[in-house]
């Protein structure tokens, strides 16, 4: 009767890459379930059995059961089983359907266990913690048995990841000089690639999508490896434009020879290469908040918005006046307010949006919010603001605008600030004009209303002072 399920990361195929913890876990398993996938090479069971034969004590009895189920997501093609993705990788649009189907198939297999077989194991190539689909299948199994009155313990044993082996083989570090490491798949690589992501590690790529980046990013460094940890290990490294043909040739030959390919690669910007003008972070970061000095005129104080300021955002958003001039008329939830304020620091660091809280200098109470977002052509900042009802009519908006606009022109690359309001929102326009903004015109039908109609927008601008 089943009592325990273990998900065990077994490295990239070399028994020497199986950790001591994973080896001990192997020796505790009575039945290993192997999900029989069309995407797996034909020797999938044999490869797992060879690992166990090498590492499990000879007197320990165990067996393998192959489970058949649905194909997985759209990343997969015949022969695609990348390191670290083992039993359930490649989840995509059909994932919601195939996870329950795999749970059904595995539950049926477990139902055939002998009385003395109590521990079931799943062997995951690479690192088990990178195999989210398998972990969810296991969670589904545990939940299934719980509803039947059986408590099944389950745990995950980490393994040596393909990223670690790839970096070691090429004698490089991951995250050079503190750069971030972005993990993705070939299916998503081209759409989301940006040198601002840092180093990009691709774990699932049946069609070598990085070839589509050659024209735009020829100077990227490519560190490629296949069959890592096996006697057939293949390695190629170099400038992307220079080595992509070689990688494609080596890959094709290996696939013809073995019938399948398991590879991974890392892309990084060379240390001496300039950042392409159209790549990288879309904007310069705003000045570090660690060096921030509060802006104040003695009546209002303005400082960067923090996660603790969510009640101010909630109060400013959910009053009758704000909802009247809003786009959809839907109140902001507390969860949404908490999320937006928690995200403010990340947006600030990325240079996309600088969010501020307006504080009543006398009482220290939060009086409103203000933001400057980089949108449209380079050098343009779009301003938005709102005041909590208790502080309206006291000139807080224009005071805060004056302080923030002065800071923007003194400390950022923004050359022109823009703002707008719906026709009829007279108070907003007066506040903008008192802060020095000039009315520019009417944008017809630009802003949506809660009832599905559209309103004209009155637009304003403020230019950087000429020295």
């Amino acid at each position: 009767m089943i009592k325990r399920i273990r998900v065990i990361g077994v490295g990239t195929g070399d028994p020497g890459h199986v950790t001591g913890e994973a080896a001990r876990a192997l020796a505790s398993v009575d039945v290993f379930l192997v999900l029989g996938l069309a995407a797996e090479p034909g020797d999938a069971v044999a490869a797992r059995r060879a690992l166990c034969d090498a590492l499990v004590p000879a007197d320990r009895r165990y067996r393998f059961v192959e489970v058949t189920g649905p194909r997985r997501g759209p990343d997969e093609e015949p022969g695609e089983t990348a390191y670290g993705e083992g039993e359930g990788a490649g989840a995509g649009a059909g994932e919601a359907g195939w996870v329950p189907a795999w749970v059904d198939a595995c539950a049926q297999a477990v139902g055939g266990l002998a009385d003395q077989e109590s521990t079931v194991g799943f062997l995951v190539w690479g690192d088990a913690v990178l195999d989210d689909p398998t972990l969810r299948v296991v969670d589904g199994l545990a939940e299934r048995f719980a509803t039947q009155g059986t408590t099944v313990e389950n745990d995950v044993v980490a393994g040596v990841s393909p990223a670690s082996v790839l970096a070691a083989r090429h004698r490089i570090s991951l995250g050079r000089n503190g750069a971030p490491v972005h993990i993705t798949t070939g299916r998503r690589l081209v759409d989301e690639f940006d040198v601002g992501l840092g180093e990009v590690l691709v774990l699932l790529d049946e069609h070598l999508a990085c070839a589509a980046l050659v024209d735009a990013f020829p100077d990227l460094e490519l560190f490629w490896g296949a069959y890592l940890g096996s006697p057939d290990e293949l390695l190629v490294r170099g400038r992307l434009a220079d080595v992509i043909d070689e990688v494609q040739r080596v890959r094709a030959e290996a696939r013809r020879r073995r019938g399948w390919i398991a590879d991974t690669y890392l892309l990084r910007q060379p240390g001496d290469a300039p950042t392409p003008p159209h790549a990288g972070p879309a904007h310069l970061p705003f000045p570090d908040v660690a060096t921030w000095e509060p802006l104040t005129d003695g009546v209002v104080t303005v400082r960067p918005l923090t996660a603790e300021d969510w009640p101010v955002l909630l109060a400013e958003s959910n009053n009758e006046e704000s909802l009247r001039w809003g786009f959809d008329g839907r109140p902001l939830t507390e969860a949404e307010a908490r999320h937006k304020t928690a995200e403010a620091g990340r947006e600030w660091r990325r240079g996309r949006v600088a969010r501020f809280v307006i504080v009543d200098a006398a009482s220290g109470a939060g009086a409103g919010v203000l933001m400057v977002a980089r949108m449209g052509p380079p050098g343009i900042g779009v301003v938005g603001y709102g005041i909590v009802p208790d502080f309206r009519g006291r000139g807080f908006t224009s005071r805060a605008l004056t302080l923030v606009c002065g800071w923007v022109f003194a400390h950022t690359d923004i050359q022109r600030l823009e703002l707008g309001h719906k026709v009829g929102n007279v108070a907003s326009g007066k506040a903008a004009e008192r802060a020095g903004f000039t009315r520019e015109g009417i944008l017809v039908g630009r802003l949506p209303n809660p009832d599905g109609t559209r309103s004209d927008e009155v637009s304003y601008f403020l230019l950087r002072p000429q020295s």
Side-chain angles (χ1 to χ4, degrees):
M1 178 178 179
I2 186 170
K3 296 181 179 179
R4 188 180 193 186
I5 302 174
R6 313 201 71 178
V7 183
I8 307 169
V10 291
T12 57
D14 184 345
H17 290 170
V18 177
T19 67
E21 181 186 17
R24 292 190 295 273
L26 292 177
S28 71
V29 174
D30 300 308
V31 176
F32 293 99
L33 297 187
V34 180
L35 307 191
L37 302 166
E40 289 242 319
D43 58 355
V45 176
R48 289 168 169 81
R49 191 182 298 278
L51 276 176
C52 291
D53 289 346
L55 297 169
V56 176
D59 59 350
R60 172 67 182 176
R61 295 176 61 85
Y62 58 88
R63 64 188 178 98
F64 282 82
V65 174
E66 188 167 358
V67 181
T68 59
R71 282 183 60 85
R72 298 170 296 181
D75 259 325
E76 297 170 7
E77 298 291 344
E80 177 175 340
T81 301
Y83 306 114
E85 310 308 316
E87 312 286 357
E95 185 174 297
W98 65 252
V99 170
W102 275 114
V103 172
D104 291 341
C106 291
Q108 184 176 357
V110 170
L113 296 182
D115 290 342
Q116 71 274 16
E117 295 174 329
S118 62
T119 300
V120 171
F122 291 83
L123 302 186
V124 175
W125 296 120
D127 191 346
V129 301
L130 295 178
D131 194 0
D132 173 66
T134 291
L135 297 181
R136 278 188 289 145
V137 169
V138 171
D139 287 342
L141 276 173
E143 292 173 4
R144 174 77 58 85
F145 286 113
T147 62
Q148 299 170 359
T150 301
T151 300
V152 176
E153 176 187 354
N154 64 87
D155 66 346
V156 179
V157 179
V160 176
S161 72
S164 299
V165 178
L166 179 75
R169 291 293 191 263
H170 284 293
R171 302 179 302 283
I172 61 174
S173 63
L174 293 177
R176 175 186 56 182
N177 297 326
V181 179
H182 179 77
I183 302 176
T184 190
T185 65
R187 181 168 56 91
R188 300 179 57 179
L189 175 66
V190 175
D191 288 340
E192 70 186 19
F193 183 80
D194 188 315
V195 294
L197 293 172
E199 298 182 357
V200 176
L201 180 70
V202 183
L203 292 180
L204 274 170
D205 189 354
E206 172 65 12
H207 301 293
L208 201 64
C210 62
L213 299 176
V214 171
D215 291 339
F217 305 98
D219 294 322
L220 286 174
E221 291 181 303
L222 172 65
F223 300 87
W224 177 84
Y227 311 118
L228 295 169
S230 78
D232 296 324
E233 183 175 274
L234 300 169
L235 299 171
V236 177
R237 64 182 289 176
R239 179 175 174 268
L240 180 62
D242 296 337
V243 301
I244 190 64
D245 290 343
E246 179 185 359
V247 172
Q248 289 175 322
R249 176 184 57 78
V250 171
R251 244 177 148 255
E253 291 176 356
R255 186 187 294 278
R256 283 194 296 269
R257 184 172 63 253
R258 298 192 61 170
W260 57 280
I261 187 78
D263 62 346
T264 190
Y265 58 87
L266 180 78
L267 295 168
R268 70 162 42 154
Q269 185 78 353
D272 57 351
T275 299
H278 57 285
H283 310 289
L284 295 174
F286 289 108
D288 190 349
V289 294
T291 62
W292 179 268
E293 293 291 336
L295 307 174
T296 186
D297 63 1
V299 177
V300 300
T301 298
V302 181
R303 59 169 174 75
L305 190 74
T306 69
E308 288 73 30
D309 296 316
W310 68 265
V312 183
L313 178 61
L314 196 66
E316 186 282 318
S317 301
N318 287 355
N319 60 84
E320 183 178 351
E321 189 75 2
S322 294
L323 293 172
R324 174 190 176 193
W325 297 115
F327 296 158
D328 58 17
R330 184 181 67 84
L332 191 71
T333 68
E334 179 179 326
E336 291 169 337
R338 287 180 178 274
H339 177 75
K340 285 188 175 184
T341 54
E343 281 282 284
R346 189 173 71 90
E347 291 181 316
W348 185 291
R349 290 189 296 273
R350 292 182 63 192
R352 179 179 177 272
V353 184
R355 297 187 186 274
F356 303 88
V357 61
I358 304 168
V359 178
D360 175 20
S363 66
V369 292
L370 191 154
M371 74 165 190
V372 178
R374 285 188 170 107
M375 298 174 66
I380 302 298
V382 176
V383 180
Y385 48 80
I387 297 295
V388 174
D390 289 347
F391 294 94
R392 287 179 182 155
R394 297 165 58 178
F396 276 28
T397 301
S398 57
R399 287 177 177 274
L401 272 173
T402 300
L403 291 170
V404 169
C405 293
W407 175 85
V408 166
F409 290 139
H411 297 285
T412 78
D413 60 341
I414 292 175
Q415 303 295 313
R416 171 185 163 105
L417 290 169
E418 301 174 351
L419 61 83
H421 64 77
K422 291 181 180 179
V423 170
N425 189 358
V426 178
S428 182
K430 287 182 176 179
E433 290 176 338
R434 284 196 297 269
F437 281 78
T438 299
R439 177 168 169 157
E440 190 167 27
I442 301 290
L443 303 177
V444 178
R446 185 166 188 266
L447 302 179
N449 297 314
D451 63 0
T453 62
R454 301 191 72 84
S455 286
D456 297 346
E457 180 184 43
V458 184
S459 62
Y460 299 78
F461 73 93
L462 181 66
L463 296 177
R464 174 187 289 272
Q466 298 300 311
S467 56

